[in-house]
């Protein structure tokens, strides 16, 4: 079985004190989860949350970072700052970064390589817009995001990479891809990884699904052969809801 990862993306929600409270509540509820569990609070919430979760089974991730280590980049946050806070993972190329802030595949690739250089686990987010899906281009878009996002990443480094497939039309909309539709894209992406690297690399690649995943639909999604976890927004903001996701098998 692949090493499933259930992750909460808190986006621009929770103040630092609310985030600490949520982390404490989650910690007690998910400490016996059978899976890897991760939370991604906003930058300003990271110090407090990392402190609460220190030494626990919950991985602390950032939601983004800069593509360079340091310098004159007003408003940016560096991998060195995140490492100093014991942040071990980072979401990169989330569709909100791509489509609201115009991040390109090339910028995302620089961030992926920088994260790997510093031993951080990048969660490379990919996914198509509704019009791309309707035009039959879902796979083409995802393949391009994979190829460009992983350019220059070695097969050995790939061990530390997670992919999150999030169809943009399903994010925050309440519309979930059907388990079959999601699994079909996951399977195609896995095949693409096999072509880019090897069958062995593809087989062990963890590919999360994201887009309105919630306690009511996680079981049927996770029952699919190629779905290895979830990247969850809305349903990760309450401890009991996130705990039902992290403990979906119980
Ligand atoms: P959602 O967000 O679960 O609220 O759809 C998922 C994500 O954007 O990571």
């Amino acid at each position: 079985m692949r090493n499933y990862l259930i992750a909460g993306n808190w986006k621009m929600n929770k103040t630092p004190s609310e985030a600490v409270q949520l982390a404490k509540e989650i910690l007690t509820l998910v400490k016996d989860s059978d899976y890897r569990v991760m939370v991604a609070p906003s930058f300003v919430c990271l110090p407090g949350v990392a402190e609460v979760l220190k030494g626990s089974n919950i991985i602390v991730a950032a939601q983004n970072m800069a593509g360079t280590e340091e310098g004159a980049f007003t408003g940016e946050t560096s991998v060195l700052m995140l490492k100093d806070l014991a942040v071990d993972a980072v979401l990169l190329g989330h569709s909100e970064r791509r489509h609201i802030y115009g991040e390109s595949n090339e910028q995302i690739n620089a961030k992926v390589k920088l994260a790997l250089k510093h031993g951080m686990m990048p969660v490379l987010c990919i996914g198509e817009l509704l019009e791309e899906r309707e035009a039959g281009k879902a796979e083409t878009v995802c393949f391009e995001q994979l190829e460009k996002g992983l350019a220059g990443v070695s097969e050995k480094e790939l061990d530390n990479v997670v992919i999150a497939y999030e169809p943009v039309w399903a994010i925050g909309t309440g519309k979930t891809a059907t388990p079959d539709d999601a699994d079909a894209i996951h399977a195609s992406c896995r095949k693409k990884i096999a072509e880019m690297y090897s069958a062995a690399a593809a087989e062990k690649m963890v590919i999360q699904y994201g887009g309105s995943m919630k306690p009511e639909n996680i079981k049927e999604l996770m029952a699919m052969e190629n779905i290895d976890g979830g990247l969850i927004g809305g349903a990760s903001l309450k401890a009991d809801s996130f705990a039902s996701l992290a403990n979906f098998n119980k």
Side-chain angles (χ1 to χ4, degrees):
M1 194 180 93
R2 296 184 202 101
N3 200 358
Y4 289 173
L5 177 63
I6 308 292
N9 174 8
W10 297 356
K11 307 193 180 185
M12 199 178 72
N13 296 293
K14 307 290 173 191
T15 63
S17 47
E18 288 167 350
V20 162
Q21 185 56 32
L22 178 59
K24 284 182 182 161
E25 288 168 20
I26 287 175
L27 183 58
T28 52
L29 296 172
V30 310
K31 63 179 185 318
D32 298 320
S33 170
D34 293 326
Y35 310 113
R36 286 188 296 167
V37 180
M38 185 171 104
V39 293
S42 72
F43 287 130
V44 293
C45 297
L46 282 169
V49 169
E51 185 60 32
V52 171
L53 300 180
K54 196 158 66 185
S56 77
N57 63 328
I58 305 179
I59 303 165
V60 180
Q63 297 174 12
N64 182 29
M65 65 175 210
T68 37
E69 272 163 16
E70 60 190 353
F73 300 102
T74 302
E76 290 291 304
T77 299
S78 142
V79 65
L80 303 175
M81 300 167 189
L82 298 174
K83 289 291 292 179
D84 190 65
L85 291 175
V87 172
D88 292 323
V90 57
L91 309 184
L92 294 174
H94 188 278
S95 67
E96 286 147 20
R97 301 299 319 168
R98 291 178 188 268
H99 300 296
I100 303 175
Y101 299 101
E103 280 189 26
S104 67
N105 281 314
E106 289 68 26
Q107 286 171 315
I108 294 160
N109 176 243
K111 298 178 184 197
V112 168
K113 288 192 288 196
L114 194 58
L116 289 167
K117 177 180 164 199
H118 288 277
M120 275 174 81
M121 176 173 86
V123 177
L124 173 62
C125 305
I126 61 170
E128 81 285 358
L129 297 164
L130 183 58
E131 55 264 35
E132 292 166 335
R133 171 158 284 252
E134 284 172 348
K137 290 191 187 142
E139 280 188 357
T140 318
V141 169
C142 291
F143 289 178
E144 186 184 3
Q145 291 173 345
L146 278 177
E147 266 176 347
K148 294 192 171 163
L150 294 173
V153 172
S154 72
E155 182 158 345
K156 189 166 181 299
E157 288 174 316
L158 198 69
D159 275 345
N160 203 21
V161 175
V162 168
I163 305 290
Y165 168 63
E166 301 199 298
V168 181
W169 47 271
I171 295 179
T173 57
K175 285 188 202 139
T176 324
T178 65
D180 286 329
D181 282 349
D183 195 59
I185 295 273
H186 282 231
S188 308
C189 290
R190 201 176 296 291
K191 225 167 121 211
K192 182 75 190 165
I193 300 278
E195 282 165 31
M196 290 165 59
Y197 293 92
S198 69
E203 184 43 43
K204 64 185 172 194
M205 173 55 77
V206 171
I207 308 180
Q208 299 178 294
Y209 170 79
S212 300
M213 196 185 237
K214 46 187 182 258
E216 295 76 25
N217 61 22
I218 187 168
K219 276 196 190 137
E220 52 179 11
L221 286 159
M222 291 301 296
M224 305 309 291
E225 191 185 328
N226 288 289
I227 300 184
D228 312 315
L231 181 53
I232 302 132
S236 73
L237 294 172
K238 289 210 166 85
D240 53 351
S241 155
F242 185 62
S244 335
L245 291 156
N247 298 321
F248 76 88
N249 60 325
K250 297 190 177 156

